[in-house]
Amino acid sequence: MNDPVVLVVDDEKSLRDFVRRNLEARHYKVLTAANGLEAMATFNNEKVDLVILDLMMPHLDGLETTRRIRETSKTPIIILTALGEESDKVQAFDMGADDYLTKPFGVGELMGRIKAVLRRARWLEPSSNEEQLVRGDIRVDMDRHLVTVKDSPVELTPTEFNLLVYLLKNAGRVLSHRAILQNVWGAEYGNEAEYLRVYIGRLRQKIEVDALNPRHLFTEHGMGYRFEG
């Protein structure tokens, strides 16, 4: 298997070099860019497995860069920024970011998030006796990673797919934020409730007839979420 290719985008050269050195020491191939315009040029001309991206940059900021990448690609994106407000995180996730890490950060934390994001970018593999998962009008073909609602296909990202499968397998149960995060995102997570608000909202837009009045995916305030078939 080839070493993953990571594009590191930040206008601060010292941070780019710091992240690059730590990634290369762990056998990642690293490309760098100083702003969003450079990042898009590199992204469009190279095979990139992961983008690590600052928000505040000249010429083209991180949010717009994320939006442009998402127009054509599902390549995972980690936001690495000094902006730590929840509203900043939600906005980044709404644009299509996969994870969000606030500066300053530890090397171990960054490497753990990178591994988790690359892991989530892969489709959940079915077990040997698991081909179809059906709950009401929602059907999941585990082998083909195909989701249909009332026989109409629904396009999901790998994380959205894995989240839906976890919810369907636990239909009727109230699942805590921590349980969902650790089972879908990974053991490195547990307190990132804002991640779930965005992803649950995305699923509702895709599987519910009326996302504002869901029939399947319910919020249990102060507790978590519950799926009903």
Side-chain angles (χ1 to χ4, degrees):
M1 182 176 177
N2 295 330
D3 295 337
V5 178
V6 182
L7 173 58
V8 179
V9 190
D10 198 300
D11 60 338
E12 186 179 341
K13 184 178 185 301
S14 60
L15 189 135
R16 288 199 310 271
D17 290 344
F18 172 78
V19 175
R20 176 184 54 76
R21 287 195 302 271
N22 279 280
L23 286 169
E24 289 177 343
R26 292 161 176 82
H27 307 293
Y28 292 90
K29 179 181 177 181
V30 182
L31 307 170
T32 62
N35 58 64
L37 290 178
E38 288 185 14
M40 290 307 305
T42 301
F43 185 84
N44 291 329
N45 286 285
E46 302 283 350
K47 181 186 180 302
V48 175
D49 298 300
L50 170 68
V51 179
I52 298 177
L53 184 64
D54 188 19
L55 287 183
M56 298 183 294
M57 297 183 296
H59 307 306
L60 192 69
D61 66 26
L63 287 177
E64 179 61 18
T65 304
T66 299
R67 187 191 69 79
R68 293 189 186 187
I69 291 173
R70 280 292 166 265
E71 287 181 343
T72 59
S73 174
K74 294 179 181 177
T75 299
I77 299 171
I78 297 177
I79 299 296
L80 191 61
T81 180
L83 300 176
E85 296 296 324
E86 182 173 324
S87 58
D88 297 316
K89 297 179 182 180
V90 170
Q91 190 175 15
F93 285 123
D94 282 340
M95 286 293 180
D98 295 271
D99 209 339
Y100 194 106
L101 197 57
T102 304
K103 303 173 185 176
F105 58 89
V107 172
E109 183 180 17
L110 175 61
M111 296 305 157
R113 294 297 181 98
I114 289 170
K115 289 179 181 179
V117 167
L118 289 173
R119 183 178 66 241
R120 289 201 305 276
R122 300 191 296 267
W123 294 101
L124 184 68
E125 294 301 323
S127 63
S128 58
N129 60 350
E130 185 178 54
E131 296 180 357
Q132 298 283 335
L133 185 60
V134 182
R135 297 290 185 272
D137 53 12
I138 299 173
R139 180 182 297 270
V140 179
D141 185 321
M142 297 294 294
D143 188 48
R144 297 164 59 200
H145 304 118
L146 176 65
V147 177
T148 57
V149 179
K150 295 183 177 178
D151 297 323
S152 297
V154 176
E155 184 176 355
L156 300 180
T157 66
T159 299
E160 290 168 349
F161 179 87
N162 295 343
L163 174 59
L164 179 62
V165 167
Y166 181 67
L167 292 166
L168 294 181
K169 286 183 174 180
N170 291 278
R173 298 176 56 194
V174 177
L175 301 171
S176 70
H177 298 127
R178 178 174 290 275
I180 298 172
L181 285 163
Q182 294 201 334
N183 280 276
V184 178
W185 270 256
E188 303 87 352
Y189 302 80
N191 298 314
E192 297 83 356
E194 65 274 10
Y195 290 32
L196 289 181
R197 284 197 290 275
V198 173
Y199 274 85
I200 292 292
R202 288 183 191 170
L203 280 184
R204 283 182 176 142
Q205 292 288 341
K206 294 180 178 184
I207 70 171
E208 299 280 6
V209 174
D210 181 357
L212 297 178
N213 296 285
R215 295 174 53 246
H216 295 298
L217 191 45
F218 297 95
T219 300
E220 298 290 345
H221 294 287
M223 300 176 65
Y225 297 94
R226 170 175 53 89
F227 182 90
E228 291 293 346

